[in-house]
Amino acid sequence: MTALRCMTAGESHGPALTAIVEGFPAGVALDTALIDYELKRRQGGYGRGKRQTLETDRVIVESGTYHGVTTGAPIALRLVNNDAKLERLLEPTAPRGGHVDLAGSINYQTGIRQVLERASARETAIRVAAGALCKTLLRELNIHVYGYVRSLGGIDAPPLSSDLSVRDASPVYTLNPAVDSAIVAAIDSAKEAGDTLGGVVETIVLNCPIGLGSHAQWDRKLDARIALAVMSVQAIKGVEIGLGFEAARRPGSHVMDPIDFDPAHSSEDRRFGFRRPSNNAGGIEGGTSNGEPIVVRAAKKPISTLAARTRSVNMETKAPQPASYERSDVCAVPAASVIVENVVAFEIAAAVVEKYVGTSLAAIKAAMAAIHELDRKLLDDRGDRGS
Ligand SMILES: Cc1cc2nc3c(=O)[nH]c(=O)nc-3n(C[C@H](O)[C@H](O)[C@H](O)COP(=O)(O)O)c2cc1C
């Protein structure tokens, strides 16, 4: 069990979504504007369906703060569903492939409605709120997390910069304006054909200290924890750190990152002067952050609910019937980039709270500075012994 935890509750068309964030340190000034900004971004991106025009997600902080500053008590976050009509919705008659409809209703011995309402990606809104809350902590520690769309519908969008105003001006949240219109056109064509599109989203974490996570036990590994959290996001079907699957295709000499040392920087930065000319490992080696940017990629499958309805069967008669159609997005890859970014932010914050054990921001900052100083001294001592 990690020191910082989050549980969510709520159905897609229930009254509200709730998250309880437990273990969040005291002394962090709440930035609800940042949380609402991330929520708004999650609702946007070209290709979303009508639901997003019905909801105006704004976080309500119900506990764990005093005069806008966290107290260390559990923080309850809530988002009201404007489109709360759960009890009025009909039971779908034919389960949709690519959804929990069939397996879940057998698993829980309920109708399809009960499982699809909870399985819906509406739940990601409250996870974004929890992740954005964690960004306020990370910002205090000068750790920054951002995400963007890396490819969509097979169209590659390699980032041309890290200027987030470029991403925020992009209808599909890329850092490559040159390909945006081609992506928008691809989404339009898919929509016309009653089809949907998936893509790859990328998250970068900057200025992580060396030593988040651990090599010592499988469930302490930072890459494993990130992978679990990202894979749990609805419709994510693959997670890569650094080169990821590409590493399996290359010889070792084109995968391993060399280690250099620049004495000019040995005392001033979080990497003690160690420099990696490449970052194929994506900032994590042996389950431990190595001070380089953490690079996480996630593959999001296309939306399963197709307007050109897929084949299914009637749950009562077992006769062939097109899958039930629920109002749906054509493409939610831009939204997924926001979700993955915030889910990663949560895991980084959890690793920070675990390493720099502290009940308050001040304690965490002090522990961080003290451990950094100790690490630097031990490195210097090794240097003295070696000379
Ligand atoms: C932001 C976002 C929005 C989504 N919107 C829809 C949607 O409108 N229609 C749909 O069928 N699936 C949508 N999905 C995907 C489903 O929630 C997901 O495929 C389903 O719950 C089954 O889970 P799985 O794909 O992880 O196995 C969305 C996913 C995300 C991340």
Side-chain angles (χ1 to χ4, degrees):
M1 188 174 73
T2 57
L4 181 67
R5 298 181 287 156
C6 173
M7 298 260 280
T8 72
E11 280 72 36
S12 181
H13 298 94
L17 295 156
T18 306
I20 296 186
V21 180
E22 219 271 318
F24 195 88
V28 180
L30 214 68
D31 187 349
T32 49
L34 172 72
I35 300 175
D36 288 342
Y37 176 69
E38 294 297 90
L39 289 170
K40 188 157 188 256
R41 289 206 305 123
R42 192 205 74 95
Q43 288 199 266
Y46 196 74
R48 302 297 312 263
K50 185 163 174 257
R51 178 76 189 265
Q52 302 315 317
T53 62
L54 303 177
E55 302 295 345
T56 38
D57 290 336
R58 296 233 199 311
V59 72
I60 301 167
V61 182
E62 294 194 314
S63 71
T65 64
Y66 186 69
H67 291 297
V69 178
T70 60
T71 63
I75 299 173
L77 304 174
R78 193 157 70 97
L79 291 177
V80 171
N81 284 329
N82 293 335
D83 198 22
K85 55 182 181 191
L86 182 54
E87 307 297 336
R88 299 196 304 280
L89 288 168
L90 298 176
E91 169 67 359
T93 47
R96 300 161 303 161
H99 279 273
V100 76
D101 301 9
L102 178 63
S105 65
I106 293 172
N107 190 20
Y108 279 79
Q109 302 173 340
T110 63
I112 292 172
R113 175 63 57 197
Q114 290 91 318
V115 289
L116 83 81
E117 281 289 324
R118 177 61 187 153
S120 160
R122 176 83 188 127
E123 186 255 358
T124 60
I126 198 71
R127 286 189 76 186
V128 165
L133 171 74
C134 288
K135 276 190 179 174
T136 59
L137 168 64
L138 295 177
R139 200 172 52 186
E140 291 282 348
L141 306 172
N142 200 20
I143 299 171
H144 302 281
V145 187
Y146 67 95
Y148 51 94
V149 169
R150 184 66 175 73
S151 79
L152 202 158
I155 301 171
D156 203 17
L160 299 181
S161 76
S162 55
D163 176 356
L164 296 186
S165 68
V166 172
R167 176 200 69 186
D168 293 347
S170 162
V172 283
Y173 299 2
T174 73
L175 282 167
N176 186 334
V179 297
D180 281 355
S181 52
I183 291 178
V184 167
I187 295 172
D188 285 341
S189 308
K191 186 174 183 182
E192 243 167 71
D195 217 332
T196 59
L197 294 179
V200 175
V201 299
E202 198 158 89
T203 293
I204 312 286
V205 186
L206 296 176
N207 209 23
C208 249
I210 293 179
L212 297 185
S214 168
H215 65 283
Q217 193 61 262
W218 63 270
D219 61 351
R220 292 183 185 278
K221 296 187 180 197
L222 186 62
D223 45 0
R225 286 184 174 180
I226 289 173
L228 169 63
V230 173
M231 195 61 141
S232 76
V233 173
Q234 286 81 342
I236 297 299
K237 294 296 148 193
V239 184
E240 296 183 321
I241 310 279
L243 274 186
F245 275 69
E246 173 61 22
R249 286 186 279 269
R250 294 190 187 181
S253 54
H254 289 68
V255 173
M256 290 344 130
D257 303 310
I259 302 175
D260 297 327
F261 182 69
D262 180 354
H265 294 284
S266 64
S267 57
E268 85 204 25
D269 72 8
R270 286 188 170 161
R271 294 177 291 171
F272 307 102
F274 292 105
R275 289 286 183 272
R276 316 301 290 266
S278 57
N279 185 24
N280 293 331
I284 304 177
E285 291 171 303
T288 307
S289 64
N290 65 9
E292 298 299 313
I294 292 177
V295 182
V296 182
R297 260 186 312 283
K300 183 185 177 300
K301 75 179 187 186
I303 299 286
S304 309
T305 307
L306 303 180
R309 292 153 69 174
T310 42
R311 205 167 66 239
S312 184
V313 294
N314 183 288
M315 278 301 267
E316 279 175 23
T317 64
K318 315 295 184 292
Q321 180 185 317
S324 297
Y325 184 78
E326 295 275 320
R327 183 187 54 205
S328 210
D329 299 322
V330 173
C331 174
V333 178
S337 74
V338 182
I339 299 160
V340 169
E341 165 183 344
N342 281 283
V343 158
V344 169
F346 189 94
E347 291 309 312
I348 299 295
V352 162
V353 171
E354 197 166 297
K355 177 165 173 95
Y356 306 108
V357 181
T359 49
S360 71
L361 176 60
I364 288 175
K365 278 186 175 169
M368 210 169 171
I371 290 174
H372 183 82
E373 209 31 52
L374 178 65
D375 287 341
R376 200 176 59 74
K377 186 172 176 313
L378 291 173
L379 281 165
D380 286 352
D381 289 352
R382 280 200 238 182
D384 292 345
R385 277 203 304 275
S387 58

